[in-house]
Short mmCIF file of all heavy atoms in Angstrom, two decimals:
data_model
loop_
_atom_site.label_atom_id
_atom_site.label_comp_id
_atom_site.label_asym_id
_atom_site.label_seq_id
_atom_site.Cartn_x
_atom_site.Cartn_y
_atom_site.Cartn_z
N VAL Y 176 6.35 15.29 18.37
CA VAL Y 176 7.14 15.17 17.21
C VAL Y 176 6.26 14.91 15.95
O VAL Y 176 5.56 13.92 16.00
CB VAL Y 176 8.23 14.06 17.44
CG1 VAL Y 176 9.15 13.89 16.33
CG2 VAL Y 176 8.98 14.40 18.74
N ALA Y 177 6.61 15.61 14.93
CA ALA Y 177 5.96 15.13 13.55
C ALA Y 177 7.14 14.67 12.76
O ALA Y 177 8.19 15.01 12.93
CB ALA Y 177 5.37 16.43 12.88
N ASN Y 178 6.78 13.74 11.88
CA ASN Y 178 7.92 13.20 11.00
C ASN Y 178 7.45 13.26 9.49
O ASN Y 178 6.21 13.10 9.19
CB ASN Y 178 8.42 11.87 11.45
CG ASN Y 178 7.51 10.81 11.12
OD1 ASN Y 178 7.60 10.32 9.96
ND2 ASN Y 178 6.76 10.21 11.92
N LEU Y 179 8.35 13.44 8.68
CA LEU Y 179 8.09 13.55 7.31
C LEU Y 179 9.12 12.72 6.52
O LEU Y 179 10.35 12.93 6.78
CB LEU Y 179 8.25 15.13 6.96
CG LEU Y 179 7.92 15.48 5.60
CD1 LEU Y 179 6.26 15.52 5.42
CD2 LEU Y 179 8.28 16.97 5.40
N ARG Y 180 8.65 11.96 5.52
CA ARG Y 180 9.57 11.28 4.70
C ARG Y 180 10.01 12.01 3.44
O ARG Y 180 9.20 12.74 3.01
CB ARG Y 180 8.80 9.93 4.28
CG ARG Y 180 9.69 8.99 3.50
CD ARG Y 180 8.80 7.95 2.78
NE ARG Y 180 7.61 7.66 3.49
CZ ARG Y 180 6.89 6.61 2.95
NH1 ARG Y 180 7.26 5.82 1.98
NH2 ARG Y 180 5.70 6.43 3.61
N LEU Y 181 11.27 11.93 3.21
CA LEU Y 181 11.73 12.78 1.93
C LEU Y 181 11.87 11.85 0.85
O LEU Y 181 12.55 10.76 0.86
CB LEU Y 181 13.11 13.35 2.32
CG LEU Y 181 13.06 14.44 3.43
CD1 LEU Y 181 14.44 15.11 3.63
CD2 LEU Y 181 12.14 15.63 3.13
N VAL Y 182 11.18 11.99 -0.30
CA VAL Y 182 11.10 11.28 -1.49
C VAL Y 182 11.27 12.26 -2.69
O VAL Y 182 10.46 13.26 -2.67
CB VAL Y 182 9.83 10.55 -1.80
CG1 VAL Y 182 10.02 9.27 -2.64
CG2 VAL Y 182 9.25 10.16 -0.43
N PRO Y 183 12.26 11.98 -3.63
CA PRO Y 183 12.51 12.90 -4.66
C PRO Y 183 11.17 13.23 -5.44
O PRO Y 183 11.01 14.40 -5.89
CB PRO Y 183 13.50 12.19 -5.64
CG PRO Y 183 14.14 11.14 -4.73
CD PRO Y 183 13.05 10.70 -3.67
N GLU Y 184 10.31 12.30 -5.53
CA GLU Y 184 9.08 12.60 -6.23
C GLU Y 184 8.08 13.48 -5.74
O GLU Y 184 7.15 13.94 -6.34
CB GLU Y 184 8.31 11.21 -6.70
CG GLU Y 184 9.16 10.33 -7.70
CD GLU Y 184 10.38 9.86 -7.15
OE1 GLU Y 184 10.47 9.63 -5.83
OE2 GLU Y 184 11.32 9.36 -7.78
N VAL Y 185 8.14 13.71 -4.37
CA VAL Y 185 7.13 14.44 -3.61
C VAL Y 185 7.85 15.65 -2.95
O VAL Y 185 8.48 15.43 -1.94
CB VAL Y 185 6.35 13.58 -2.60
CG1 VAL Y 185 5.16 14.40 -2.01
CG2 VAL Y 185 5.90 12.27 -3.14
N ALA Y 186 7.62 16.89 -3.53
CA ALA Y 186 8.11 18.00 -2.79
C ALA Y 186 7.59 18.13 -1.34
O ALA Y 186 6.36 17.91 -1.13
CB ALA Y 186 7.74 19.27 -3.55
N PRO Y 187 8.45 18.50 -0.38
CA PRO Y 187 7.89 18.63 0.92
C PRO Y 187 6.92 19.76 1.03
O PRO Y 187 6.99 20.78 0.20
CB PRO Y 187 9.15 19.02 1.73
CG PRO Y 187 10.40 18.74 0.85
CD PRO Y 187 9.89 18.83 -0.47
N PRO Y 188 6.03 19.70 1.92
CA PRO Y 188 5.00 20.80 2.00
C PRO Y 188 5.73 22.08 2.35
O PRO Y 188 6.85 22.17 2.93
CB PRO Y 188 4.10 20.41 3.24
CG PRO Y 188 4.97 19.44 3.91
CD PRO Y 188 5.77 18.69 3.06
N ASP Y 189 5.19 23.23 1.76
CA ASP Y 189 5.75 24.69 1.94
C ASP Y 189 6.04 24.89 3.59
O ASP Y 189 7.11 25.49 3.86
CB ASP Y 189 4.81 25.60 1.50
CG ASP Y 189 5.07 26.00 0.01
OD1 ASP Y 189 6.14 25.36 -0.50
OD2 ASP Y 189 4.38 26.70 -0.63
N GLU Y 190 5.23 24.43 4.28
CA GLU Y 190 5.26 24.67 5.73
C GLU Y 190 6.84 24.29 6.32
O GLU Y 190 7.27 24.98 7.16
CB GLU Y 190 4.36 23.76 6.58
CG GLU Y 190 2.90 24.27 6.56
CD GLU Y 190 2.08 23.76 5.36
OE1 GLU Y 190 2.72 23.34 4.37
OE2 GLU Y 190 0.86 23.81 5.48
N LEU Y 191 7.28 23.45 5.75
CA LEU Y 191 8.66 22.91 6.20
C LEU Y 191 9.64 23.92 6.08
O LEU Y 191 10.49 24.14 7.11
CB LEU Y 191 9.16 21.80 5.41
CG LEU Y 191 10.42 20.90 6.05
CD1 LEU Y 191 10.06 20.28 7.38
CD2 LEU Y 191 10.87 19.91 4.99
N PHE Y 192 9.59 24.82 5.12
CA PHE Y 192 10.69 25.74 4.80
C PHE Y 192 10.34 27.08 5.68
O PHE Y 192 11.12 27.98 5.53
CB PHE Y 192 10.81 26.11 3.41
CG PHE Y 192 11.11 24.91 2.59
CD1 PHE Y 192 10.13 24.11 1.92
CD2 PHE Y 192 12.43 24.34 2.51
CE1 PHE Y 192 10.52 22.92 1.21
CE2 PHE Y 192 12.73 23.16 1.88
CZ PHE Y 192 11.79 22.47 1.23
N HIS Y 193 9.24 27.10 6.35
CA HIS Y 193 8.88 28.22 7.05
C HIS Y 193 9.03 28.07 8.57
O HIS Y 193 8.77 28.96 9.26
CB HIS Y 193 7.44 28.80 6.78
CG HIS Y 193 7.29 29.18 5.30
ND1 HIS Y 193 6.35 28.76 4.54
CD2 HIS Y 193 8.06 29.95 4.56
CE1 HIS Y 193 6.41 29.16 3.29
NE2 HIS Y 193 7.45 29.98 3.29
N LEU Y 194 9.49 26.78 8.85
CA LEU Y 194 9.65 26.58 10.38
C LEU Y 194 11.07 27.12 10.72
O LEU Y 194 11.96 27.25 9.97
CB LEU Y 194 9.62 25.06 10.60
CG LEU Y 194 8.40 24.30 10.30
CD1 LEU Y 194 8.55 22.81 10.52
CD2 LEU Y 194 7.20 24.83 11.12
N PRO Y 195 11.36 27.44 12.08
CA PRO Y 195 12.68 27.71 12.48
C PRO Y 195 13.47 26.50 12.26
O PRO Y 195 13.08 25.44 12.62
CB PRO Y 195 12.38 27.86 14.09
CG PRO Y 195 10.92 28.08 14.32
CD PRO Y 195 10.31 27.47 13.15
N PRO Y 196 14.65 26.61 11.48
CA PRO Y 196 15.50 25.41 11.19
C PRO Y 196 15.82 24.59 12.44
O PRO Y 196 16.00 23.37 12.28
CB PRO Y 196 16.67 26.21 10.59
CG PRO Y 196 16.32 27.52 10.17
CD PRO Y 196 15.22 27.97 11.06
N LYS Y 197 15.88 25.24 13.50
CA LYS Y 197 16.23 24.49 14.77
C LYS Y 197 15.24 23.59 15.28
O LYS Y 197 15.41 22.72 16.20
CB LYS Y 197 16.60 25.41 15.89
CG LYS Y 197 17.99 26.07 15.82
CD LYS Y 197 18.33 26.98 16.91
CE LYS Y 197 19.74 27.38 16.91
NZ LYS Y 197 19.99 28.44 17.92
N THR Y 198 14.02 23.68 14.78
CA THR Y 198 13.01 22.69 15.14
C THR Y 198 12.97 21.52 14.32
O THR Y 198 12.29 20.52 14.58
CB THR Y 198 11.47 23.26 15.09
OG1 THR Y 198 11.26 23.65 13.84
CG2 THR Y 198 11.24 24.46 15.93
N ILE Y 199 13.89 21.44 13.28
CA ILE Y 199 13.93 20.27 12.24
C ILE Y 199 15.26 19.67 12.56
O ILE Y 199 16.31 20.20 12.79
CB ILE Y 199 13.86 20.92 10.89
CG1 ILE Y 199 12.56 21.79 10.73
CG2 ILE Y 199 13.98 19.77 9.97
CD1 ILE Y 199 12.68 22.45 9.35
N ILE Y 200 15.10 18.24 12.48
CA ILE Y 200 16.32 17.42 12.65
C ILE Y 200 16.36 16.55 11.51
O ILE Y 200 15.33 15.81 11.16
CB ILE Y 200 16.42 16.75 13.98
CG1 ILE Y 200 16.67 17.83 15.03
CG2 ILE Y 200 17.45 15.61 13.96
CD1 ILE Y 200 16.87 17.29 16.34
N GLY Y 201 17.45 16.48 10.74
CA GLY Y 201 17.62 15.69 9.51
C GLY Y 201 18.32 14.41 9.93
O GLY Y 201 19.23 14.40 10.67
N LEU Y 202 17.56 13.24 9.65
CA LEU Y 202 18.36 11.96 9.87
C LEU Y 202 18.92 11.36 8.61
O LEU Y 202 18.25 11.35 7.56
CB LEU Y 202 17.18 10.86 10.20
CG LEU Y 202 16.31 11.42 11.53
CD1 LEU Y 202 15.13 10.50 11.77
CD2 LEU Y 202 17.11 11.62 12.77
N THR Y 203 20.16 11.24 8.66
CA THR Y 203 20.89 10.62 7.58
C THR Y 203 21.40 9.20 7.83
O THR Y 203 21.36 8.73 8.93
CB THR Y 203 22.25 11.45 7.27
OG1 THR Y 203 23.07 11.39 8.42
CG2 THR Y 203 21.80 13.01 7.17
N ILE Y 204 21.77 8.48 6.77
CA ILE Y 204 22.25 7.19 6.93
C ILE Y 204 23.12 6.74 5.82
O ILE Y 204 23.03 7.44 4.74
CB ILE Y 204 20.99 6.24 6.94
CG1 ILE Y 204 21.18 4.89 7.27
CG2 ILE Y 204 20.15 6.29 5.66
CD1 ILE Y 204 20.11 3.84 7.58
N SER Y 205 23.99 5.83 6.13
CA SER Y 205 24.94 5.47 5.08
C SER Y 205 24.13 4.63 3.95
O SER Y 205 23.34 3.90 4.26
CB SER Y 205 26.12 4.62 5.45
OG SER Y 205 25.73 3.34 5.75
N PRO Y 206 24.55 4.77 2.57
CA PRO Y 206 23.74 4.04 1.60
C PRO Y 206 23.89 2.51 1.80
O PRO Y 206 22.89 1.82 1.63
CB PRO Y 206 24.48 4.43 0.21
CG PRO Y 206 25.28 5.64 0.52
CD PRO Y 206 25.48 5.69 2.08
N GLU Y 207 25.01 2.01 2.23
CA GLU Y 207 25.16 0.66 2.42
C GLU Y 207 24.29 0.09 3.47
O GLU Y 207 23.68 -0.90 3.35
CB GLU Y 207 26.67 0.36 2.83
CG GLU Y 207 27.66 0.74 1.80
CD GLU Y 207 27.99 2.22 1.75
OE1 GLU Y 207 27.70 2.89 2.71
OE2 GLU Y 207 28.42 2.64 0.72
N LYS Y 208 24.29 0.90 4.67
CA LYS Y 208 23.39 0.46 5.69
C LYS Y 208 22.00 0.30 5.26
O LYS Y 208 21.19 -0.48 5.59
CB LYS Y 208 23.52 1.45 7.00
CG LYS Y 208 22.77 1.07 8.20
CD LYS Y 208 23.38 -0.07 8.80
CE LYS Y 208 22.31 -0.77 9.81
NZ LYS Y 208 22.82 -2.03 10.22
N LEU Y 209 21.50 1.46 4.45
CA LEU Y 209 20.09 1.62 4.16
C LEU Y 209 19.84 0.52 3.11
O LEU Y 209 18.73 -0.12 3.10
CB LEU Y 209 19.90 2.88 3.47
CG LEU Y 209 18.48 3.28 3.07
CD1 LEU Y 209 17.56 3.29 4.37
CD2 LEU Y 209 18.42 4.73 2.51
N PHE Y 210 20.72 0.16 2.35
CA PHE Y 210 20.62 -0.95 1.44
C PHE Y 210 20.29 -2.23 2.14
O PHE Y 210 19.22 -2.91 1.92
CB PHE Y 210 21.97 -1.11 0.57
CG PHE Y 210 21.85 -2.20 -0.54
CD1 PHE Y 210 21.18 -2.16 -1.66
CD2 PHE Y 210 22.49 -3.48 -0.11
CE1 PHE Y 210 21.21 -3.36 -2.46
CE2 PHE Y 210 22.50 -4.64 -0.95
CZ PHE Y 210 21.84 -4.48 -2.23
#
Side-chain angles (χ1 to χ4, degrees):
Chain Y
V176 183
N178 79 75
L179 188 71
R180 190 194 326 191
L181 298 176
V182 202
E184 290 73 20
V185 187
D189 270 356
E190 283 88 340
L191 189 68
F192 301 99
H193 299 126
L194 295 176
K197 280 179 172 178
T198 60
I199 304 170
I200 290 187
L202 304 174
T203 66
I204 187 166
S205 77
E207 297 74 23
K208 185 68 200 168
L209 189 56
F210 178 78

